[in-house]
């Protein structure tokens, strides 16, 4: 696997690339600006030489000088070795040629005698050694102002300019490379210093273990971006700590809940097998073991349901249900048990609720069973329903012994019992209210509990579900 570059190296290289591109762009602009200025200067000088040659050719002594001293006109070009001059009659007769480089001159259209030389009249080409060159031609009078008309071609090669621009390009490239290297070094230092808080957070996070989930990342001196990251990580750590604590407590509660029935099964069986027994004794033992096994089966079934609900593995079969019919069903089902406890059940409210029938009945059944178990003898358990805006509120109320606020806050926790001394462990596993909360979570609702004096009220809040057939 190819090793990945660190963030510091990536940022340093990126910054170096940006500086290199910016330096190259600036160098490109300066180079072309400088090259344009040099070319403009040379063009102005060349056009000026054509004007000067016109004036010298108009002198009366010039015809004789062309024969006796042809280098006279080169002196007009300041003795430049790269200057090229060609003077011809209108019929093509060569009167003078100064071309030490033996270059093939272009044939620019000559300017009229009175036409002022301008840059548009220049013809550009490259010499045999690839040097840039320019030429301009114009008609002049040889001798007197009314003398013989001739065509004067003035040209110049610029190898020195090409060499100067080549050196300038090399310097620009070198400067851009040095700037990029310097930027990379500076960026690496700046990024290394800027990421110091992140390295500190990384060291602290690396020291966090299962036994140190309470550790939090300190980002008080960190930049806002890293501080937000630390805050998010601290929030995640808090959730992990809470989840791990719940998991540990769940494992301890689960072991405790299984220990009692398993201990009962093991103890009763060992006692029974200690000596020979009558057939009726063995039958009684089997009946007792069956009760304990049924309790274990119910507990396992409840735990599986909670596991599926927690992972959204329980599919809902929402159907329109008559609330009055569902409340009456629960009242009739628990009527016998309520009479044994000396309490009565009353229902009120009606309407249509879209919910999963089996899950709704299980949630209501758990609440009613809890109310019957803990209601004060002679009191009334009330099952009610009301519609409030876009939600349904189904409530189960009973009178009983007042519960502390700390107990109310934990009633929906798994394996939690408000009064372990009075709880019937054979019938209650401490998962009934936890199942109610999971059922409501599947429906997108809530399960709440409130207490007014000795009146305990459990409320199931169902949001209105759209009808898929509508």
């Amino acid at each position: 696997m190819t090793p990945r570059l660190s963030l510091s190296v990536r940022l340093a290289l990126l910054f170096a690339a940006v500086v290199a591109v910016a330096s190259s762009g600036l160098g490109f602009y300066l180079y072309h600006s400088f090259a344009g200025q040099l070319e403009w200067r040379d063009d102005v000088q060349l056009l000026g030489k054509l004007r000067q040659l016109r004036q010298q050719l108009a002198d009366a002594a010039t015809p004789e000088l062309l024969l006796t001293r042809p280098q006279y006109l080169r002196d007009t070009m300041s003795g430049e070795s790269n200057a090229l001059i060609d003077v011809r009659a209108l019929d093509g007769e060569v009167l003078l040629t100064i071309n030490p480089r033996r270059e093939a001159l272009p044939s620019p259209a000559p300017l009229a005698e009175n036409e002022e030389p301008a840059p548009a009249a220049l013809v550009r080409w490259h010499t045999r050694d690839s040097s840039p060159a320019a030429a301009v031609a114009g008609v002049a009078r040889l001798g007197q102002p009314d003398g013989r008309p001739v065509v004067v071609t003035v040209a110049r090669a610029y190898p020195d300019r090409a060499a100067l621009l080549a050196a300038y390009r090399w310097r620009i490239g070198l400067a851009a490379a040095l700037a990029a290297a310097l930027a990379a070094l500076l960026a690496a230092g700046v990024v290394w210093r800027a990421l110091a808080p992140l390295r500190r957070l990384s060291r602290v996070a690396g020291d966090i273990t299962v036994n140190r989930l309470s550790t939090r990342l300190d980002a008080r001196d960190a930049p806002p971006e890293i501080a937000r990251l630390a805050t998010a990580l601290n929030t995640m750590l808090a959730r992990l700590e809470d989840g791990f604590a719940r998991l540990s407590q769940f494992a301890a509660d689960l072991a405790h809940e299984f220990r009692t029935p398993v201990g009962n099964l093991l103890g009763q069986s060992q006692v029974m097998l200690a000596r020979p027994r009558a057939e009726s004794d063995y039958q009684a033992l089997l009946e007792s073991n069956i009760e304990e096994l049924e309790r274990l089966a119910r507990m396992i079934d409840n735990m599986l349901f909670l596991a599926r609900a927690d992972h959204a593995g329980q599919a809902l079969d929402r159907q329109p249900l008559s609330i009055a019919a569902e409340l009456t069903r629960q009242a009739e089902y628990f009527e016998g048990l309520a009479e044994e406890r000396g309490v009565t059940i009353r229902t009120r409210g009606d309407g249509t609720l879209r919910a999963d029938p089996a899950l709704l009945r299980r949630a209501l059944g758990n609440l009613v069973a809890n109310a019957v178990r803990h209601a004060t003898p002679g009191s009334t358990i009330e099952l009610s329903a009301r519609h409030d805006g876009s939600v349904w509120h189904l409530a189960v109320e009973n009178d009983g012994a007042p519960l502390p606020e700390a107990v109310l806050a934990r009633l929906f926790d798994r394996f939690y019992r408000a009064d372990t001394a009075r709880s019937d462990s054979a019938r209650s596993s401490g998962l009934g209210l936890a199942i109610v909360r999971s059922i409501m979570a599947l429906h997108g609702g809530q399960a709440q509990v409130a207490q007014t004096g000795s009146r305990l009220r459990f409320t199931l809040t169902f949001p209105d579900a759209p009808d898929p057939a509508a």
Side-chain angles (χ1 to χ4, degrees), residues 420-442:
T420 57
R422 298 190 307 173
S423 294
D424 185 356
S425 60
R427 297 185 180 180
S428 173
S429 63
L431 295 175
L433 296 182
I435 290 176
V436 171
R437 181 173 61 181
S438 295
I439 290 174
M440 295 311 300
L442 289 173

Side-chain angles (χ1 to χ4, degrees), residues 343-362:
V343 297
T344 57
I345 302 177
R346 184 177 62 189
T347 65
R348 63 181 177 87
D350 193 10
T352 301
L353 169 66
R354 290 191 58 81
D356 187 295
L359 296 183
L360 172 63
R361 291 162 190 167
R362 187 168 188 175

Side-chain angles (χ1 to χ4, degrees), residues 264-284:
N264 291 339
L265 290 172
L266 184 60
Q268 293 174 1
S269 299
Q270 289 175 340
V271 170
M272 185 61 63
L273 295 176
R275 60 185 178 83
R277 304 282 182 175
E279 182 178 350
S280 59
D281 294 334
Y282 288 116
Q283 184 175 359

